[in-house]
Amino acid sequence: MNVETPSHTKGIAQWAPRFIRCYSAPVTGAIPDAKKKFVPTLGTYPRGFLATGIYVGVKPTNKGTVDLALLVSEKPCSASAVFTKNKFQAAPVVVSRQVLEQRSGEGIRAIIINSGCANAVTGKGGLDDASSMGRAVDACFRSSPDSTPHSTRGQSLDVETSSTLVMSTGVIGQRLPISKILSAVPIAHSALSATHDDWLLAAKAICTTDTFPKLLSCTFTLPSSPDTTYSLAGMTKGAGMIHPNMATLLGMLFTDAPIPAKTLQPLLTHAVDRSFNAISVDGDTSTNDTLAFLANGAAGGHPITSLMSEDGKALTQVVTAFTQQLSQLVIRDGEGATKFVRVRVTNSSSFADAQKIASTIARSPLVKTALYGKDANWGRILCAVGYTDGLSPAAVVPEKTSVSFVPTDGSEALKLLVRGEPESVDEKRAAKILDEEDLEILVDLGGGEDGNGMEEASYWFCDFSHEYVTINGDYRT
């Protein structure tokens, strides 16, 4: 590539190419070739839901990329959500939680999301801005001639009666350009559509440092209604500040299955604990983490009132597997990441212990940098196991603990530590395994002190690279 360089910068140009970003989003907004395989070209979306994404210009430096997403149900939905546990909770988190509490999870119609500004740590003004975004969407329902009547028709809306959830993502500590956003809401509402292209636009509009939009959809059936096909769709965003504890970054799930709010909440919690609460890019938990689940029942069938029923068990499997796939796209897009790693902790005395150990390994800077350097430094993994906080007294017995690298090509695992004894490691094979993008780390606790432990948990994470530092060193610019 030939580029004309001003004379006063030629010295810089000689070394600057070494720092070209290979993994972060190109300034053109183009999706890197290596990530295009994760972007769907079609989808099967739930009945009665509409979506779109439009350009507003929330961030001053954004000159044309879509940054306002609107997702709407043609009929009122049951809804549930999980939120960040960060003490500094963003205004949209506070407002959306209040909406769900006041409505007892019923009668929700929409989600509006902006990127470019987190509306976090913005005081009362930020709360007012988040509330006004929801009210602007509600006003579109009242003015629409084919809108479904609901309890807020004809009323002056406030946060207690709004039917819209609000999310924001971007820089913390800055106010939203709220006038620009509010004036754009009717435009977004008029552009709503059920097409794949519009769902993809919505997924693009919530991106920040993401290199690709994260959108999935699937169909499923339930035992009580084998002839009824249900759809499930989801989108998420995130590439950095990822170590959810809720919650997750931002994410939305939508289905046309009939699921009351009282069933939806435990369903979401179960799935999130095994997916979005089991991923880590950098160990940081955002102020804005929110994952919402809307169900409008438009496909019909018997309402799912218990997760212990046959329908409930089947639905739990579907939603858990789906959220795992969706959350793993975040790791695939981790800022500067070159590795996609699953750490699996097996034969633990409890799921909680296994998950704590997996989480500690996943957020260890020493483990993550070793993986980036393709160094089979299993001692760092073992060290992370040993300093994990909050374990039951007999969770880890050094003499029973084993560690292995498991290749994703199906070949034999490379044993590093067997029941507390180090193995003679084939460094050439280790280097070959670590040269691949995907890797599994297996930690076998040997059943714990009593030897009877059979629980396991997984975490998905990525490595730390020079690129991660570069991206986050100039995030605001």
Side-chain angles (χ1 to χ4, degrees), residues 219-363:
T219 59
F220 62 96
T221 59
L222 294 173
S224 69
S225 309
D227 297 327
T228 301
T229 299
Y230 298 103
S231 295
L232 174 63
M235 64 181 68
T236 187
K237 64 81 51 186
M241 199 179 283
I242 307 298
H243 187 71
N245 183 19
M246 77 240 188
T248 164
L249 20 251
L250 295 186
M252 291 132 273
L253 303 173
F254 307 89
T255 185
D256 49 18
I259 315 172
K262 66 177 182 179
T263 307
L264 206 57
Q265 189 63 53
L267 171 63
L268 181 60
T269 300
H270 177 94
V272 165
D273 281 345
R274 290 155 179 80
S275 57
F276 283 102
N277 270 355
I279 61 172
S280 184
V281 169
D282 47 24
D284 280 347
T285 299
S286 170
T287 56
N288 291 56
D289 289 349
T290 304
L291 179 63
F293 195 173
L294 272 61
N296 66 8
H302 302 288
I304 303 160
T305 57
S306 170
L307 295 183
M308 300 307 296
S309 67
E310 290 304 308
D311 280 355
K313 292 176 182 177
L315 182 65
T316 299
Q317 290 183 338
V318 169
V319 174
T320 301
F322 185 85
T323 53
Q324 286 179 342
Q325 287 183 294
L326 187 61
S327 66
Q328 288 167 27
L329 292 178
V330 176
I331 302 304
R332 293 285 184 189
D333 201 21
E335 289 173 345
T338 69
K339 293 279 184 288
F340 175 84
V341 188
R342 177 189 185 186
V343 56
R344 188 160 61 98
V345 179
T346 64
N347 295 316
S348 170
S349 54
S350 72
F351 171 77
D353 283 341
Q355 189 175 49
K356 288 174 183 176
I357 291 170
S359 172
T360 302
I361 295 170
R363 66 178 189 269

Side-chain angles (χ1 to χ4, degrees), residues 80-99:
S80 65
V82 283
F83 299 98
T84 183
K85 293 181 181 178
N86 190 304
K87 298 297 183 183
F88 290 94
Q89 299 195 350
V93 169
V94 175
V95 168
S96 293
R97 180 185 284 113
Q98 289 179 357
V99 168

